[in-house]
Amino acid sequence: MRPTADIEEVSHERAAERFMELFYPIHYSIGMQVEDALRGDQGLDRHQTVIMWLLRTEGMQRGSKSLKRKEIERCLTSWYDITSSTVSKALRALAKPPYNFIVISEDPDSGREKLVTVTAAGQRYYKQMADNASAFVKLATDRMSVEENSMGIHMFKVITDTFQALRDEGRIDSPQSTSDVAQMAKRKAASG
């Protein structure tokens, strides 16, 4: 184990820029490797992997094994440049052999909505996904101190909660609100 590094103090003025310097390595390099570890050797594509992880995560948070199909579509189409038919194709593949990870049924609350429910096979796959990804991430966390791991988890939670609050306030998640934020930042930089 290596010693805890000194923590650089970063001002509010420089914090966003410093976070953005880490965006590429975290999102693309590390994030894609974690996604590959989640996928394992089951042959799922990226969209199917994300659907299964979304069902697991949302299910754990809500205490449910089901999500509305439109909710899954909304998430995937906001994260990826894909169509509704691509989401449907991914869901159908997860519902058929050799996977049988989900069941797609009519939502009892709305005849126009479908409900996607995880099967026992899908739940076993969740566990495998979590085990695979945890083993991959453990390669890094084993090299960090307890304090660094604790701080990292705390920071990921704070960042996640902060961005969720911004979404809840309607300040992000639409092209208009994102460009408004960028324009405000440019005006502030020009005036300051």
Side-chain angles (χ1 to χ4, degrees), residues 61 63 78 86 97 106 166 187 189:
Q61 289 177 354
S78 71
T86 302
E106 189 172 306
L166 289 166
R187 283 192 299 267

Side-chain angles (χ1 to χ4, degrees), residues 166-184:
L166 289 166
R167 280 189 289 280
D168 293 347
E169 294 165 12
R171 296 185 62 195
I172 61 172
D173 252 5
S174 74
Q176 182 60 42
S177 65
T178 302
S179 71
D180 288 348
V181 170
Q183 290 299 324
M184 276 185 0

